[in-house]
Amino acid sequence: LSEKMVQQFLEWVRTHYFLNTNLLNEQFINQLIIKSGQPEAKVRMLMDMIHEIKMGTAPTDDAYLYQLYTTIQQFYKNIY
C-alpha cells in the first residue's frame, strides 16, 4: 500500500511540476522545494520516507502508513 501511495505521489509530481522522478537525488529535492514552495524540512521528510519505502527499510505498521498518508495529503493541500 505504501508503494502505491508513493507511485501516485510521484506521478502527481511529474504532472504538476514536470520533474523527472527517476532519480530522487539532491537536485530533484531542491527543484521540488523551489517549484512547490513547500518548506524544505517538509519536502526532505517526505523524500526520506519515500527513500525508506523504496529501500524496503520503512516500518510496515499502521502508524507509519498513516504518517506517510498525512504527509502526502499536507503536501497536496499546500500547493495553492
Side-chain angles (χ1 to χ4, degrees), residues 8-49:
Q8 289 174 336
F9 173 74
L10 294 177
E11 176 63 29
W12 185 86
V13 167
R14 283 191 291 276
T15 59
H16 281 78
Y17 299 122
F18 307 104
L19 291 175
N20 183 339
T21 59
N22 289 335
L23 281 177
L24 304 180
N25 57 14
E26 191 66 23
Q27 181 182 358
F28 169 81
I29 293 170
N30 288 330
Q31 289 176 332
L32 185 57
I33 291 166
I34 292 166
K35 288 193 172 200
S36 69
Q38 299 280 345
E40 181 176 348
K42 181 186 272 188
V43 174
R44 289 192 181 278
M45 183 179 82
L46 180 54
M47 290 298 108
D48 287 345
M49 293 179 80

Side-chain angles (χ1 to χ4, degrees), residues 1-8 53-54 56 65 68:
L1 190 57
S2 58
E3 291 95 2
K4 184 79 170 164
M5 276 195 274
V6 168
Q7 288 173 354
Q8 289 174 336
I53 291 163
K54 287 181 166 282
L65 194 59
L68 175 65

